[in-house]
Amino acid sequence: MKQLYKLIFPLAALVLLVQCHSGGQPFSLKADAFAAKLEQTPGAILLDVRTPAEFGSGSIKDAQNIDFNAKEFKTRIAALDKSKPYFVFCLSGGRSKDAADYMRQNGFGAVYEMKGGLLAWKDSNRTLNGETSSRDKLPMSDYKKLISGDTSVLVDFYAPWCGPCRKMEPMLHDVARENKGNVSLVRVNIDENKQLAMELGIREIPVLKIYKRGEEMWTHNGLVEKAALLEALSKVK
């Protein structure tokens, strides 16, 4: 019986640990829940883990900026008070999830992350403090023109800070080059086209879409292998 208890107890602890770090656990919150929890939490500290340039274009009121991709990220995080509650966000949720995971793994007890990031925040009709008004480089009207031709159009929604986006970029150019005349590649930087991303429901990146004559034929979130992408393109008539 004792041996069975010794086996079950570590297993139960492992299950609890996995649950605490899964996407469905209470530390990962949608925009509305994130805002409500932030308001209800005394001494809450907001961390915007985007780049300084992104932060300068507008952020949530009272947020501090610690760039997740900067060399000094770990040093700056180590200097924070681990006993306080932290609310972490970025543009689409990827960097903030990684930052929050790192903080929890390094002794921070209460770290909340916002699912969907500022794209979801703005989609819920909330504003940003100090937001600068700027027009998308690619408005929806021009986007529709790009995808309306007879040739298949492969659209890559990316950002310069996105690791998976950078990893996939050479493969996408190879596919476009190898299928020249049949496939055209359009890369859309969501940092420069926030309104377009919101209108198209882009809440995370990378996102790939294939269009033919303006009709969306295929979409994929996250990394994709070259073989899978070529297969998807071969099915578009």
Side-chain angles (χ1 to χ4, degrees):
M1 189 69 179
K2 288 182 177 180
Q3 290 180 338
L4 181 61
Y5 175 79
K6 289 180 179 179
L7 177 64
I8 292 176
F9 183 78
L11 182 60
L14 178 61
V15 170
L16 287 173
L17 180 63
V18 170
Q19 289 178 338
C20 286
H21 287 83
S22 68
Q25 50 81 25
F27 288 122
S28 183
L29 306 172
K30 292 183 178 180
D32 287 338
F34 186 89
K37 185 69 176 178
L38 175 63
E39 186 176 348
Q40 297 164 5
T41 305
I45 297 175
L46 261 175
L47 293 183
D48 183 337
V49 295
R50 298 177 300 160
T51 65
E54 290 176 281
F55 180 74
S57 67
S59 188
I60 300 175
K61 185 180 179 181
D62 298 326
Q64 301 177 26
N65 182 217
I66 300 181
D67 184 354
F68 176 71
N69 288 320
K71 292 180 180 179
E72 64 272 16
F73 172 76
K74 293 182 179 179
T75 303
R76 294 191 62 186
I77 291 297
L80 298 176
D81 184 346
K82 295 182 179 181
S83 68
K84 293 187 177 296
Y86 291 88
F87 289 74
V88 188
F89 64 93
C90 62
L91 179 63
S92 61
R95 287 171 287 179
S96 57
K97 182 184 184 306
D98 290 342
D101 284 346
Y102 175 81
M103 293 175 73
R104 294 185 197 114
Q105 292 164 6
N106 285 274
F108 288 80
V111 184
Y112 303 90
E113 66 200 66
M114 180 162 55
K115 290 181 180 179
L118 291 181
L119 291 176
W121 180 269
K122 294 190 69 175
D123 202 29
S124 62
N125 296 317
R126 289 183 170 83
T127 59
L128 300 180
N129 194 49
E131 183 174 21
T132 56
S133 58
S134 60
R135 297 178 59 186
D136 282 3
K137 289 191 173 182
L138 181 65
M140 179 62 79
S141 57
D142 290 347
Y143 179 77
K144 288 181 177 179
K145 292 177 184 177
L146 283 173
I147 63 174
S148 63
D150 292 332
T151 301
S152 295
V153 180
L154 172 61
V155 184
D156 170 30
F157 292 91
Y158 78 102
W161 44 260
C162 170
C165 300
R166 293 195 300 269
K167 181 178 180 180
M168 201 161 52
E169 181 181 0
M171 181 271 288
L172 296 178
H173 285 293
D174 286 345
V175 168
R177 184 176 61 255
E178 293 165 7
N179 293 272
K180 188 176 181 180
N182 297 314
V183 177
S184 59
L185 174 64
V186 174
R187 304 192 72 229
V188 179
N189 183 339
I190 66 168
D191 283 347
E192 299 175 344
N193 298 281
K194 294 183 177 67
Q195 183 62 35
L196 178 66
M198 287 180 62
E199 291 183 32
L200 293 172
I202 305 297
R203 297 292 177 268
E204 58 184 22
I205 51 173
V207 171
L208 296 177
K209 292 181 181 292
I210 298 175
Y211 292 90
K212 191 68 174 284
R213 302 181 187 92
E215 182 181 355
E216 184 179 311
M217 309 297 291
W218 177 85
T219 187
H220 180 86
N221 291 12
L223 284 168
V224 65
E225 296 295 328
K226 184 177 182 179
L229 177 57
L230 289 173
E231 182 180 358
L233 285 166
S234 71
K235 295 178 180 179
V236 176
K237 304 298 182 181

